[in-house]
Amino acid sequence: MTTYLDFFELTQEPFSNAPVSRFYYNSAQHSQALTRLMHAVGYMKGLSILIGDIGAGKTTLARRMLDSLPESEYEAALLVIIHSGITAQWLLRRIALQLGVENPAQEKLALLSQLYQRLLQIYESGKKAVVLIDEAQMLETRELMEEFRGLLNLEVPERKLISFVFFGLPEIEKNLKLDPPLAQRVALRYKLEPFTAESTEAYVKHRLRLAGCPRMPFTPEALLAVHEHSGGTPRVINTLCDNALFEAFLARSETISAELVHRIGDNLGLQGGSAASQASERPSTPASSLPRTANTKIDLAEIDRYLEGLGKL
């Protein structure tokens, strides 16, 4: 059976909304964001945040960053927050597991001791502990914010023992204000803006080229229509272009016109420039990590002494 991939001589779907690393588009602002975030974790600055509207490419960038952290230099993990009802205990256990703590304790003080010991091991091995948190806007309680502040207080004289990067919607900043001392610890903030018309065109051409498309099916006017209806949001650009390729295939048309894109945009309920507010979130996926193993020892006296200083601002 002939498909639109066959019709346009494509080797794979060019506009899937799954985070396929092969299709990563290194736009100017994505490059700047990644450079700044890599600098922040390279110097163990503590807490960095990357914000963007729905469908702006935050998850894709988080995965790209994880792939860009050399295993020889970093003990790194990506944690996806799947719902807003998580507890501080769950959060600590997930962070501990992903950084290589075996059999994390149920009791909080013992768990903190295990995590502290593991972070010291990572530091003494010459590596840096980094945890990327995707969908961080779901961290909605002051208790969670205070837990991150406590973890950021874990340090040695030379530097912090762990760095975090939050990826999420603009609500992150409201959540950080639940614990003002943590908000003051944000070392770097970067916001992903929607693509311009020129970036939208370059993005579409980039994905088509990587999918093996031998010719450009979208007219210049059609590309402008894609930008108009998507508002420059990558996820919505993908949806529009995928639909356009399929509809053109059904019509056996090798050219995609602005008229077709406008019709698809209208059918999807996308009014020009409002796509970002109308797009729906992709379901969260389970956390991925770079697992590590370690023989941790619990030194309650040491962690007790250390925790006495965690209340500092």
Side-chain angles (χ1 to χ4, degrees), residues 71-75 122-123 125-129 159 292:
E71 289 189 48
S72 60
E73 300 176 28
Y74 294 91
E75 193 76 22
I122 293 170
Y123 167 74
S125 73
K127 292 186 177 183
K128 299 166 183 174
R159 72 174 196 214
R292 299 288 187 270

Side-chain angles (χ1 to χ4, degrees), residues 77-312:
L78 171 62
L79 174 63
V80 181
I81 306 301
I82 58 175
H83 59 80
S84 60
I86 66 170
T87 64
Q89 183 78 358
W90 180 92
L91 179 70
L92 285 173
R93 283 180 57 82
R94 292 307 291 174
I95 291 172
L97 280 168
Q98 294 200 13
L99 290 178
V101 173
E102 294 183 328
N103 302 315
Q106 294 293 331
E107 199 274 325
K108 184 177 180 180
L109 186 59
L111 176 58
L112 283 170
S113 176
Q114 290 177 302
L115 184 54
Y116 180 50
Q117 295 286 350
R118 177 60 182 144
L119 290 173
L120 284 177
Q121 289 179 347
I122 293 170
Y123 167 74
E124 290 167 358
S125 73
K127 292 186 177 183
K128 299 166 183 174
V130 178
V131 178
L132 314 180
I133 309 285
D134 195 17
E135 305 291 358
Q137 74 279 351
M138 293 192 182
L139 302 168
E140 296 179 342
T141 68
R142 181 174 181 178
E143 181 187 17
L144 291 171
M145 295 297 104
E146 290 176 341
E147 211 63 67
F148 278 106
R149 175 158 56 93
L151 292 174
L152 288 170
N153 282 337
L154 298 173
E155 54 191 27
V156 290
E158 297 87 354
R159 72 174 196 214
K160 296 184 182 299
L161 288 174
I162 189 168
S163 279
F164 293 99
V165 183
F166 288 178
F167 297 80
L169 299 174
E171 292 92 294
I172 290 177
E173 297 191 280
K174 178 186 68 177
N175 296 348
L176 285 171
K177 291 177 182 177
L178 294 171
D179 186 56
L182 178 64
Q184 292 177 7
R185 281 167 165 75
V186 175
L188 183 142
R189 173 190 177 278
Y190 194 91
K191 182 176 182 180
L192 289 179
E193 301 290 350
F195 286 160
T196 63
E198 293 76 14
S199 296
T200 297
E201 177 179 345
Y203 174 81
V204 171
K205 290 180 176 178
H206 168 79
R207 295 191 70 120
L208 285 169
R209 182 173 64 255
L210 290 181
C213 191
R215 60 188 179 278
M216 181 60 187
F218 291 84
T219 67
E221 295 76 19
L223 290 172
L224 288 173
V226 168
H227 177 71
E228 177 187 342
H229 284 282
S230 68
T233 300
R235 186 181 303 165
V236 187
I237 294 172
N238 291 343
T239 299
L240 281 166
C241 290
D242 185 68
N243 275 272
L245 288 172
F246 182 65
E247 293 297 332
F249 158 65
L250 293 179
R252 296 300 190 268
S253 172
E254 295 184 355
T255 301
I256 296 172
S257 66
E259 180 185 2
L260 175 59
V261 174
H262 285 308
R263 186 164 71 247
I264 292 169
D266 291 342
N267 287 340
L268 291 173
L270 301 173
Q271 302 303 314
S274 64
S277 64
Q278 297 186 41
S280 59
E281 273 285 47
R282 181 172 62 251
S284 299
T285 56
S288 64
S289 64
L290 297 175
R292 299 288 187 270
T293 59
N295 295 318
T296 56
K297 297 183 295 183
I298 298 179
D299 184 345
L300 295 182
E302 180 177 318
I303 198 65
D304 246 335
R305 289 192 299 273
Y306 194 85
L307 287 173
E308 289 178 1
L310 292 187
K312 62 184 180 180

